[in-house]
Amino acid sequence: MKTRYLIPFLFLPFIACKKDNTPGVQPLDIKLNLKYASDDFNTKLDLSTVVVKITNLATKTSSTYSPLQGVVNLTSIIPGEYDIDASITIPKAQYNGLTGESSMEDVTFNASLKKISLTSSTSLDLELVAGILGDFIIKQIYYAGSDNKEGAVFRDQFFEVYNNTDRVLYADSLYFGRLWGRQSPTSQSDYYQSNGQLDWSKSSGMVGVESANTDYVYLRDLFMIPGNGRTYPVEPSKSIVIAQNALNHKAPFVGNNGKEVAIKNPDLTIDLSNANFEVYFGDIPGKTPFASDIDNPSVPNVEILDYTGNDWILDNLGRDGYVIFKNSDRLAVENLKSYTEPSISVPTSTAKKYRQLPVNWIMDAVEVQPNTKDARIPKKLTASQDAGFTFATLGGYSSQSVIRKTEKVTNGVRKLKDTNNSTEDFMVIKANPFGFGD
């Protein structure tokens, strides 16, 4: 994680935005109360150098502030929809000295309120939580796909995981998957929390309803890298690419239905024939995969625990949350409970169930959202997992991927930015497996 020495702002009792003079618009006064989620940290860690960022989603203008005694007072702001983010990174030596803990990395605390509608003067609470730390991190997500006439449509999607340490790691028994949640901001068929996301405590047969929405996330699909524990070493500054289909998508191919598929503009797509792993649905009993789901015998297949559809197709509109975790106990993963979506109507006996993953298992997580404000959905991940979100700026079929920024390169070891806020940590590029953004 990046070391940031924050320069204190001028502390004033009230910090005002530019006053709105629009006729008929009543300006608002908003009070932001900041604290650490852990009461113990509130007595040990400073709040004065927390950076609070307020973004007006209509005008796309942002302002930053610093709290006085844990409070930011915003006066005369325009009513509307806002993102409110707060963040502080504490260098590991300072953090360990203040808390008595032994963190090996700088520690970032985040809090966020996304797409919150401010229509009247009010007081809001922001709890700063420590971000998750992992040796493997999610480096690149190519979910948008390429042009649906000139390119490879969704066939060329991939997911990339990176070794962000200075030592060799092993990818064996690394799990990855996508989360399930509310996919439309207007759907009304389920029970919802106050933040707009699914209220999993209302799921049929839910055990431990009080922690259903706070201590767990729910998996749309789940896959595992095979191996005996030391089969797949990953060197420092190296990554593994998991392809939907490990083919050279720049070249024509013959589908599993025997028909040749042409590619009109190779420049719009990529070569994934050298991917480390691929997701192949053809071995699932009773499953008829898409014609484009071809097994490349030279690329190992991941193990499939949970799946949807006829191929591993990432949502190219950008409505997925992605997680990775490491667990050598396969039985513990298989025994995780599963629940149906918390629908208002009684679920059928064949309704899909979603595996309940403890958030304290997660090594890294990234939230992806649509590229337009009106299409955005309530976040599936909380501030402790990903305080922000990222997206391909040109949307689906654009050949764009989201990729983690480089923080620094020391003695040939490249450290990628990891503050547990993908809005700050990621950038957009033309999809480039094994490549870097900056």
Side-chain angles (χ1 to χ4, degrees), residues 19-179:
K19 190 175 182 68
D20 177 58
N21 295 316
T22 305
V25 174
Q26 181 65 41
L28 308 177
D29 295 338
I30 307 296
K31 180 181 180 181
L32 304 178
N33 304 300
L34 284 84
K35 67 175 184 177
Y36 292 96
S38 168
D39 289 336
D40 189 45
F41 287 163
N42 284 310
T43 63
K44 298 176 179 178
L45 302 179
D46 188 19
L47 286 169
S48 64
T49 54
V50 173
V51 173
V52 180
K53 182 180 179 181
I54 315 295
T55 303
N56 184 309
L57 298 181
T59 63
K60 298 182 180 179
T61 56
S62 299
S63 301
T64 56
Y65 309 95
S66 188
L68 174 62
Q69 296 180 342
V71 174
V72 172
N73 287 294
L74 307 171
T75 63
S76 299
I77 72 167
I78 306 169
E81 289 187 328
Y82 287 82
D83 282 350
I84 303 176
D85 299 279
S87 181
I88 181 172
T89 298
I90 303 176
K92 60 183 179 182
Q94 179 184 350
Y95 175 82
N96 293 339
L98 291 171
T99 65
E101 298 190 13
S102 54
S103 175
M104 300 298 292
E105 300 281 352
D106 302 336
V107 180
T108 297
F109 291 83
N110 291 296
S112 67
L113 297 171
K114 295 297 186 182
K115 203 178 180 183
I116 184 169
S117 180
L118 298 180
T119 58
S120 60
S121 298
T122 188
S123 178
L124 301 172
D125 296 328
L126 291 117
E127 280 197 340
L128 292 151
V129 292
I132 52 180
L133 299 174
D135 294 337
F136 280 116
I137 59 173
I138 298 169
K139 174 191 171 186
Q140 186 174 186
I141 307 171
Y142 177 43
Y143 68 88
S146 53
D147 190 86
N148 58 3
K149 294 180 181 178
E150 303 287 326
V153 197
F154 51 74
R155 300 188 303 269
D156 54 356
Q157 294 172 329
F158 70 87
F159 181 72
E160 188 171 358
V161 178
Y162 185 78
N163 178 354
N164 208 33
T165 75
D166 57 1
R167 65 187 188 280
V168 176
L169 300 176
Y170 291 88
D172 309 51
S173 298
L174 179 71
Y175 292 82
F176 64 96
R178 295 178 294 165
L179 305 183

Side-chain angles (χ1 to χ4, degrees), residues 73-296:
N73 287 294
L74 307 171
T75 63
S76 299
I77 72 167
I78 306 169
E81 289 187 328
Y82 287 82
D83 282 350
I84 303 176
D85 299 279
S87 181
I88 181 172
T89 298
I90 303 176
K92 60 183 179 182
Q94 179 184 350
Y95 175 82
N96 293 339
L98 291 171
T99 65
E101 298 190 13
S102 54
S103 175
M104 300 298 292
E105 300 281 352
D106 302 336
V107 180
T108 297
F109 291 83
N110 291 296
S112 67
L113 297 171
K114 295 297 186 182
K115 203 178 180 183
I116 184 169
S117 180
L118 298 180
T119 58
S120 60
S121 298
T122 188
S123 178
L124 301 172
D125 296 328
L126 291 117
E127 280 197 340
L128 292 151
V129 292
I132 52 180
L133 299 174
D135 294 337
F136 280 116
I137 59 173
I138 298 169
K139 174 191 171 186
Q140 186 174 186
I141 307 171
Y142 177 43
Y143 68 88
S146 53
D147 190 86
N148 58 3
K149 294 180 181 178
E150 303 287 326
V153 197
F154 51 74
R155 300 188 303 269
D156 54 356
Q157 294 172 329
F158 70 87
F159 181 72
E160 188 171 358
V161 178
Y162 185 78
N163 178 354
N164 208 33
T165 75
D166 57 1
R167 65 187 188 280
V168 176
L169 300 176
Y170 291 88
D172 309 51
S173 298
L174 179 71
Y175 292 82
F176 64 96
R178 295 178 294 165
L179 305 183
W180 185 245
R182 191 175 188 177
Q183 296 298 94
S184 167
T186 59
S187 62
Q188 298 296 328
S189 58
D190 296 302
Y191 292 104
Y192 304 109
Q193 305 173 57
S194 59
N195 64 5
Q197 251 311 331
L198 297 181
D199 184 355
W200 290 96
S201 70
K202 300 283 198 308
S203 297
S204 178
M206 175 61 68
V207 176
V209 295
E210 65 283 349
S211 60
N213 297 315
T214 56
D215 294 356
Y216 302 94
V217 290
Y218 298 82
L219 293 164
R220 178 180 189 173
D221 50 31
L222 181 63
F223 309 91
M224 187 192 79
I225 305 296
N228 62 16
R230 300 181 73 85
T231 306
Y232 298 109
V234 183
E235 298 290 331
S237 299
K238 300 296 182 181
S239 59
I240 57 171
V241 167
I242 303 153
Q244 181 195 126
N245 296 289
L247 303 175
N248 179 5
H249 296 281
K250 293 176 174 288
F253 69 95
V254 177
N256 59 36
N257 59 0
K259 297 180 180 180
E260 182 173 295
V261 178
I263 181 74
K264 292 184 178 180
N265 188 346
D267 291 338
L268 294 176
T269 184
I270 52 179
D271 182 357
L272 287 174
S273 60
N274 62 343
N276 302 94
F277 301 95
E278 72 174 348
V279 182
Y280 177 60
F281 277 29
D283 292 332
I284 300 174
K287 177 62 64 177
T288 302
F290 286 142
S292 59
D293 193 9
I294 301 170
D295 189 16
N296 183 340

